[in-house]
Amino acid sequence: MPDSSPSSSRPPQVGRRTLLGAAAAATAAPVVLGSATRAAAAPAPRKKPRALPGGGDLGPNVLVFDPSTPGIQARLDEVFRQQESAQFGTGRYALLFKPGTYSGLNAQLGFYTSIAGLGLSPDDTTINGDVTVDAGWFNGNATQNFWRSAENLALVPVSGTNRWAVAQAAPFRRMHVRGGLNLAPSGYGWASGGYIADSRIDGQVGPYSQQQWYTRDSAIGSWLNGVWNMVFSGVEGAPAQSFPNPPYTTLATTPVSREKPFLYLQGSEYRVFLPEKRTNARGVTWGNGTPRGTSLPLTQFYVARPGVSAATLNQALEQGLHLLLTPGIYHLSEPLRINRANTVVLGLGYATLIPDGGVTAVKVADVDGVRLAGFLVDAGPVNSPTLLEIGPRGASRDHSANPTTVQDVFIRIGGAGPGKATTSMVVNSRHTIIDHTWVWRADHGDGVGWETNRADYGVVVNGDDVLATGLFVEHFNKYDVQWFGQRGRTIFFQNEKAYDAPNQAAIQNGSTKGYAAYRVGDAVTSHEGWGLGSYCYYNVDPTIVQHHGFAAPVRPDVRFHNLLVVSLGGQGQYECVINDTGSPTSGTSTVPSTVVSYP
């Protein structure tokens, strides 16, 4: 996101098989009456591929520490130096800490770096020190602190407050901060995160300059302030509902949630814990002893390394193995096909999937309980019709008892190089839970331009009963989100319209000025959203007018609570908030226009 000041936009950055077959002709011997007929040779039976092993080493970019490991701080610093400003680099790291107590550490996290404890509870792994994200690399502006994460640790911050100044795609999950949490960079420059889930912060959370934030199923001591859009669901200690002043949207519970799978140690054995589904959830899952759920040994996972082929990954899936994607970049010549119920695909250290030749990266069948978590899909230079598909078109099975979850799965089109995709994520399966995603058509980096990284649609939901908790979708050429399924729900939405529209004609949608950020289909009779925001920053042509941020049929069961649109520094304007309702954004003052309830 840009600085809200019109004079401080981002610095410019430099713009992002043939299969040969041979046919052999066999000449049949002539048939001679009264003689034996020569039989054609039977083809040799195809050998089954050798079964792939489960388990194995986690590879060189998973760094595992225990309290007796020498030189931990030096190793953390080395990774940070490499990753601090490597926004579109190829380095990927997971920093894992075995249960125990560590003292005197400051783990500074750069791009594509994940830090996590290996206990069943955050309190099993305590760092007397800090896990820090700051913005020195970008002159104190934290709006590009993407793609990093912290999980399953207890922190005792040196100063009493830990700094976590992040932007999108930087989850803070299953953490216990025995003190406060500061979400702003030093100097309190701009920031545009973020997401907390299943965490306990004993002291105060201070967002300061954070423009928006979503906190789910957690416990906090207190919350200091809000800028534009602060949303809470199932959070003990959350501030009371008060949107738009202060801009707090507070739900007592989260309707349905299931926490992200995580790696942990049982003795010397790695296992993956699968938290159980909760309904009307509130507070953390780990506060009273062993968390509820099941676990799988690592021997039931194919532990993938960068360079492995898509065919091998699919063989592992067909064989009945789950996938653990170790840190690195994976090129896919065919989609990963997840056809078995309850399959887990878990990435470490922002493992990145790049579809080659215009294929879809991941396709999930209409089955129960698939868990996708912790990886990045990066569009390739040949246009993919879709990048991630949850269920085939027309999927209709009831998955309410055991939904598919998509958690910390991020999608990027452009930035690291040329990339194109018509639609990024399509959700066809009923009851899917999208729990924290950032679907981003890049506005800076390599391979960026109105047609260069063309991507018309971000997220399309066709399935009924889908729930999104923490939905970040930005910069698509047309609609960012289209929702056609019945009874859909979204708790927290953050959006920016594409900066780089060359002129009004480029975004014209029939007789409507611009495509809504979030559109509910005309046939939908039931839908609900809480705490949804859309911003425009048309810096190529600041005269562009966007009619509204949200579009929906006017029906009593299509309901929205606490909507806002913002014109950043007057670079473009909104005429309305939703449909024809809501005041236009005002001049260059970057003041939100809000609608508290619709219709």
Side-chain angles (χ1 to χ4, degrees):
M1 292 183 66
D3 185 319
S4 294
S5 163
S7 63
S8 53
S9 58
R10 291 171 173 161
Q13 301 195 28
V14 180
R16 184 167 165 27
R17 119 195 82 202
T18 302
L19 296 174
L20 298 176
T27 305
V31 177
V32 179
L33 199 61
S35 69
T37 304
R38 184 184 301 170
R46 279 181 111 181
K47 282 187 177 178
K48 270 189 170 181
R50 181 176 296 174
L52 296 166
D57 185 80
L58 298 179
N61 286 11
V62 176
L63 310 182
V64 182
F65 305 104
D66 66 44
S68 66
T69 303
I72 297 176
Q73 186 64 56
R75 191 70 179 100
L76 296 176
D77 291 346
E78 180 185 353
V79 172
F80 179 64
R81 280 194 298 272
Q82 179 180 322
Q83 299 301 115
E84 180 184 11
S85 58
Q87 181 171 180
F88 298 112
T90 58
R92 304 285 187 274
Y93 289 93
L95 313 173
L96 304 183
F97 286 76
K98 294 181 179 180
T101 300
Y102 301 77
S103 295
L105 296 182
N106 180 16
Q108 299 182 81
L109 299 188
F111 288 97
Y112 315 109
T113 306
S114 298
I115 188 169
L118 288 171
L120 261 182
S121 163
D123 290 327
D124 293 341
T125 311
T126 299
I127 293 178
N128 291 306
D130 296 81
V131 171
T132 302
V133 177
D134 206 343
W137 74 278
F138 200 46
N139 301 314
N141 181 336
T143 59
Q144 292 183 28
N145 281 350
F146 314 138
W147 304 306
R148 62 201 76 197
S149 67
E151 185 173 354
N152 206 28
L153 292 165
L155 304 178
V156 184
V158 170
S159 70
T161 300
N162 188 77
R163 187 181 302 279
W164 185 254
V166 296
Q168 290 78 4
F172 196 80
R173 284 188 183 268
R174 201 178 173 73
M175 296 287 286
H176 185 188
V177 181
R178 298 176 192 161
L181 188 64
N182 183 339
L183 304 179
S186 53
Y188 300 92
W190 296 108
S192 66
Y195 176 92
I196 292 171
D198 200 23
S199 294
R200 181 180 297 277
I201 293 91
D202 293 345
Q204 184 176 72
V205 180
Y208 298 101
S209 54
Q210 282 286 356
Q211 292 159 340
Q212 65 274 319
W213 199 276
Y214 176 50
T215 307
R216 179 181 63 71
D217 299 353
S218 294
I220 62 176
S222 61
W223 190 272
L224 179 64
N225 71 296
V227 177
W228 292 335
N229 190 30
M230 304 287 157
V231 180
F232 309 83
S233 68
V235 178
E236 297 168 355
Q241 168 70 38
S242 58
F243 188 91
N245 188 25
Y248 299 149
T249 298
T250 303
L251 287 73
T253 61
T254 304
V256 187
S257 62
R258 189 173 68 190
E259 298 304 330
K260 175 179 172 284
F262 62 91
L263 193 66
Y264 75 103
L265 277 172
Q266 185 176 77
S268 60
E269 178 196 15
Y270 283 107
R271 297 182 69 89
V272 173
F273 192 82
L274 307 177
E276 71 173 21
K277 187 189 75 162
R278 297 201 290 169
T279 55
N280 299 318
R282 183 172 172 84
V284 300
T285 63
W286 46 268
N288 298 305
T290 304
R292 298 176 67 89
T294 57
S295 78
L296 300 170
L298 200 62
T299 53
Q300 292 185 21
F301 285 77
Y302 179 70
V303 179
R305 298 280 195 92
V308 69
S309 70
T312 299
L313 295 171
N314 279 325
Q315 182 191 337
L317 291 167
E318 289 164 12
Q319 198 178 299
L321 293 171
H322 307 277
L323 295 183
L324 185 74
L325 304 173
T326 64
I329 294 174
Y330 298 75
H331 281 269
L332 304 177
S333 60
E334 61 185 67
L336 298 187
R337 295 184 178 89
I338 301 166
N339 297 322
R340 180 172 48 91
N342 301 310
T343 298
V344 179
V345 179
L346 176 61
L348 300 179
Y350 286 81
T352 301
L353 307 178
I354 301 179
D356 292 332
V359 303
T360 297
V362 181
K363 290 188 175 185
V364 181
D366 193 22
V367 295
D368 272 356
V370 172
R371 303 184 195 226
L372 307 180
F375 58 88
L376 172 64
V377 178
D378 206 353
V382 178
N383 185 75
S384 293
T386 57
L387 293 172
L388 172 61
E389 293 181 12
I390 309 299
R393 182 182 296 274
S396 60
R397 293 180 183 173
D398 186 320
H399 302 295
S400 55
N402 187 13
T404 286
T405 45
V406 183
Q407 301 179 284
D408 302 346
V409 173
F410 307 117
I411 295 177
R412 177 173 69 194
I413 301 94
K420 290 187 178 184
T422 304
T423 303
S424 290
M425 182 190 298
V426 180
V427 180
N428 294 317
S429 287
R430 294 181 62 194
H431 301 103
T432 299
I433 300 172
I434 307 167
D435 178 43
H436 189 226
T437 189
W438 184 39
V439 182
W440 185 60
R441 176 181 167 266
D443 61 278
H444 61 276
D446 266 347
V448 171
W450 185 248
E451 296 295 344
T452 308
N453 61 330
R454 182 84 194 187
D456 283 352
Y457 309 109
V459 175
V460 175
V461 179
N462 296 315
D464 295 341
D465 307 291
V466 171
L467 170 66
T469 51
L471 184 61
F472 299 71
V473 187
E474 297 189 298
H475 306 152
F476 286 84
N477 294 76
K478 293 184 178 178
Y479 290 112
D480 298 275
V481 172
Q482 293 189 92
W483 207 298
F484 300 114
Q486 299 289 354
R487 297 175 299 279
R489 292 174 291 184
T490 295
I491 304 172
F492 182 89
F493 171 68
Q494 187 262 323
N495 166 263
E496 287 177 340
K497 295 304 298 172
Y499 298 171
D500 55 344
N503 49 48
Q504 187 76 44
I507 65 159
Q508 193 68 18
N509 179 16
S511 61
T512 303
K513 298 172 187 171
Y515 291 82
Y518 187 108
R519 173 200 175 203
V520 178
D522 293 343
V524 173
T525 57
S526 176
H527 187 91
E528 196 158 11
W530 297 263
L532 281 62
S534 176
Y535 319 147
C536 72
Y537 186 70
Y538 288 118
N539 61 335
V540 174
D541 181 0
T543 67
I544 290 175
V545 174
Q546 175 85 21
H547 180 63
H548 49 217
F550 304 91
V554 182
R555 293 195 173 96
D557 288 332
V558 177
R559 300 190 298 267
F560 289 91
H561 316 273
N562 306 340
L563 300 174
L564 68 148
V565 295
V566 182
S567 170
L568 302 179
Q571 306 291 297
Q573 296 291 335
Y574 290 92
E575 291 179 325
C576 303
V577 178
I578 180 169
N579 294 343
D580 300 321
T581 298
S583 302
T585 51
S586 54
T588 60
S589 58
T590 316
V591 173
S593 180
T594 61
V595 168
V596 173
S597 183
Y598 186 88

